[in-house]
Amino acid sequence: MCKKTLKIQAVFNGSHNGVRYYIIMNARFITFAKLRGIYKKGEIFNIYTESDTKYGCQWDGQNIESSIAKFEAELTEQTKE
């Protein structure tokens, strides 16, 4: 039986002073993201783990979900080394 993996979802959770807050669902490590303004490919936005560890995530030019998926894939590869 194949285990179905759920797609990462970013759920808008409000904004304050120009910062948009997102709850991240179905990701392995990341639970929260903060974005300000419009991002160009390669720019960095803040993401957080459940334990409040902060990381910079590179905008992939598409969306929050795909950017976080790529970040988590890279993080997983680094932990294998």
Side-chain angles (χ1 to χ4, degrees):
M1 178 185 283
C2 292
K3 183 179 178 183
K4 185 177 180 181
T5 57
L6 298 173
K7 189 174 181 178
I8 294 174
Q9 293 180 308
V11 179
F12 181 71
N13 193 43
S15 64
H16 183 70
N17 292 333
V19 178
R20 298 182 314 279
Y21 300 91
Y22 293 87
I23 303 292
I24 307 302
M25 301 171 65
N26 304 324
R28 286 186 68 187
F29 308 109
I30 305 306
T31 58
F32 194 71
K34 294 181 184 179
L35 288 88
R36 178 186 297 273
I38 298 172
Y39 289 83
K40 295 178 184 171
K41 187 174 182 177
E43 292 184 328
I44 304 297
F45 63 95
N46 295 327
I47 56 175
Y48 301 83
T49 65
E50 188 173 359
S51 63
D52 278 341
T53 302
K54 179 181 175 181
Y55 292 97
C57 183
Q58 189 173 44
W59 183 259
D60 69 357
Q62 295 178 33
N63 57 50
I64 299 168
E65 294 89 348
S66 60
S67 296
I68 291 173
K70 289 174 184 170
F71 174 86
E72 287 197 331
E74 291 171 8
L75 187 64
T76 303
E77 283 300 313
Q78 289 175 3
T79 58
K80 287 182 182 178
E81 295 175 354

